[in-house]
Amino acid sequence: MTRQNFDLQLAHVKERLVNLAVMVNKLQEQSVKALADRDEELARDVIASDQQINQAQREIEETCLTLIASQQPVARDLRLIFSISMIGWELERMADHAKGVAVLAQRLADQPLLKPLIDVPRMAEIGRELLMGQVDAFMRGDVEMARNLAARDTEVDQLNDQVFRELLLIMITDPRTITRATYLLWVAHNLERFADRTTNIGERVVFLQTNTIVELND
């Protein structure tokens, strides 16, 4: 394979990675909408769509392995291929967190919400912003952008703490709400983990550009 063809293959797999990120972004948005609207059918659609995410991730991983085996890339090319594969894996796990929200949305679909959903949708929104921002940073090779986005993960952590405190108070005040409150705590946890994984993508950006493994927001 000539260098030109190799570059074309890399460009193609990077495009597929971006498409996967868009799919995961939409899945997370729909899962929170299903929760807010108590839409059981939409929740089922989200859960079913997870298989498409898994397949897309496997195809990216297989392409990366093929490139490594057939081209024996070195230095930066090898870091790029490894980074693409690792980001694909992170995206698949983020889709699992979105699926987790959808499963909880199903369980809550026939019950009134304990409180207006304000912090939870905001957590989800920030998570989506961080996801697409980090993927953009990866495509641009922008280390500073990746670091700045990673710093925003604390916003999600703070909202998660706020949700925890409010739901804990509700459970203490009325023990009959424990099951519903616990489901919402799990929702917030899934969204917090979703945002955490965007930081892992940022770490791959730093690794690709500097050949240094770092932990952002350690």
Side-chain angles (χ1 to χ4, degrees):
M1 183 184 294
T2 66
R3 180 70 211 191
Q4 183 179 14
N5 287 337
F6 181 61
D7 288 341
L8 286 174
Q9 289 277 0
L10 286 176
H12 181 58
V13 74
K14 287 169 71 175
E15 181 181 357
R16 287 161 63 185
L17 187 72
V18 173
N19 290 339
L20 177 58
V22 171
M23 291 168 63
V24 172
N25 190 69
K26 182 178 180 181
L27 205 68
Q28 192 252 48
E29 183 177 21
Q30 289 180 327
S31 70
V32 176
K33 187 177 190 305
L35 174 69
D37 296 345
R38 296 194 285 282
D39 188 335
E40 195 169 1
E41 182 177 355
L42 180 57
R44 283 196 298 268
D45 289 343
V46 170
I47 294 168
S49 296
D50 183 57
Q51 289 301 316
Q52 294 176 266
I53 302 291
N54 294 342
Q55 180 61 31
Q57 184 270 328
R58 283 193 294 268
E59 290 174 357
I60 289 172
E61 184 174 31
E62 289 170 2
T63 300
C64 289
L65 290 173
T66 298
L67 285 171
I68 292 172
S70 61
Q71 300 305 311
Q72 298 181 340
V74 295
R76 181 177 172 82
D77 288 335
L78 189 59
R79 294 203 306 273
L80 173 58
I81 294 170
F82 273 128
S83 295
I84 291 170
S85 182
M86 290 299 296
I87 292 173
W89 185 84
E90 292 289 351
L91 292 172
E92 189 274 333
R93 295 299 297 138
M94 292 169 76
D96 286 343
H97 292 309
K99 177 182 175 182
V101 173
V103 170
L104 294 163
Q106 281 187 316
R107 296 180 183 179
L108 290 165
D110 62 347
Q111 303 178 57
L113 292 174
L114 288 174
K115 59 186 289 294
L117 290 181
I118 299 173
D119 295 330
V120 164
R122 182 58 184 151
M123 289 175 67
E125 182 183 12
I126 296 172
R128 294 194 302 273
E129 291 173 0
L130 296 181
L131 166 57
M132 299 314 296
Q134 290 289 14
V135 171
D136 187 31
F138 177 75
M139 296 298 287
R140 295 171 181 267
D142 192 332
V143 171
E144 183 178 1
M145 181 179 181
R147 289 184 180 276
N148 290 338
L149 287 165
R152 290 194 61 200
D153 181 54
T154 57
E155 297 176 34
V156 179
D157 293 339
Q158 290 167 358
L159 288 168
N160 187 43
D161 290 344
Q162 176 70 18
V163 170
F164 176 81
R165 288 193 296 269
E166 290 182 357
L167 290 175
L168 184 62
L169 180 59
I170 290 172
M171 286 189 284
I172 291 172
T173 303
D174 185 358
R176 293 172 300 177
T177 65
I178 288 176
T179 298
R180 281 182 293 160
T182 301
Y183 287 162
L184 285 176
L185 285 173
W186 289 348
V187 166
H189 175 71
N190 272 295
L191 295 174
E192 189 269 336
R193 292 298 297 134
F194 184 99
D196 277 348
R197 291 189 180 278
T198 68
T199 298
N200 295 344
I201 296 175
E203 291 171 359
R204 305 314 298 183
V205 178
V206 177
F207 170 69
L208 176 60
Q209 299 301 320
T210 67
N211 196 26
T212 302
I213 298 175
V214 299
E215 290 191 19
L216 300 177
N217 297 345
D218 184 19

